[in-house]
Amino acid sequence: MAHTRNVTVRMKADFEYEAVNQQGNTVQIDMYDAPEKKAQSPMDLLLSSLGGCASVDAVLMMKKKRKEVVDFYVEVTGDRNEGVPSFYTDIHLHFVLVSPDAKEEEFAKVVALSVDKYCSVASSLKSRISYSSSVKRVL
């Protein structure tokens, strides 16, 4: 049985939107360029989603191995197609762990498991997603 999630994205201004999930959590979105940019763009959010998804499992697995996590971050870089649409052609995740007792080899194995097996966002990006659209005009 599929687990369905819903998000409503509402226009605030021509280049500003707000996404709200079923629990009422909000994310601000804008398509401005710097210096007017106040929020992430949809493509930034895709990179953030991938990085966040892969990070949670990596950190939890390191802690399950009883390794001290002093700091952790992932830098996510996406290269985009030159044409329209300018989709991502390549995405690279660079994971950094600050830990006095973890070995780089074990951290690399944990990251590989997180990205390749447990991260739903990474799996979604690798899969062929079926999507559709519909419209309704309200007076």
Side-chain angles (χ1 to χ4, degrees):
M1 171 158 303
H3 177 74
T4 303
R5 297 205 175 193
N6 295 302
V7 174
T8 300
V9 180
R10 186 173 303 276
M11 180 182 75
K12 294 171 57 179
D14 286 349
F15 296 105
E16 297 176 28
Y17 294 80
E18 180 177 81
V20 182
N21 68 5
Q22 291 173 296
Q23 295 75 32
N25 306 114
T26 62
V27 173
Q28 302 305 312
I29 303 167
D30 79 37
M31 277 64 91
Y32 296 118
D33 290 323
E36 292 85 19
K37 186 159 239 359
K38 296 177 235 157
Q40 292 191 32
S41 71
M43 294 301 278
D44 293 338
L45 287 168
L46 190 145
L47 296 180
S48 295
S49 296
L50 177 60
C53 181
S55 295
V56 170
D57 289 318
V59 168
L60 290 176
M61 284 189 273
M62 290 306 291
K63 288 187 174 186
K64 189 172 183 178
K65 292 177 172 284
R66 299 183 191 274
K67 301 302 177 185
E68 183 181 354
V69 177
V70 176
D71 194 12
F72 172 92
Y73 61 93
V74 58
E75 298 169 337
V76 187
T77 305
D79 294 328
R80 294 178 69 175
N81 179 48
E82 293 291 329
V84 175
S86 56
F87 54 87
Y88 286 118
T89 57
D90 295 285
I91 297 175
H92 179 74
L93 296 96
H94 178 69
F95 292 85
V96 178
L97 171 69
V98 178
S99 174
D101 56 355
K103 291 184 171 48
E104 191 165 323
E105 304 81 45
E106 71 183 332
F107 182 50
K109 286 180 184 176
V110 160
V111 165
L113 268 175
S114 179
V115 173
D116 297 334
K117 184 174 182 180
Y118 296 115
C119 177
S120 300
V121 176
S123 293
S124 295
L125 291 173
K126 292 178 207 171
S127 72
R128 294 188 138 196
I129 299 172
S130 171
Y131 62 92
S132 62
S133 63
S134 59
V135 299
K136 177 181 178 182
R137 181 178 166 267
V138 180
L139 296 175

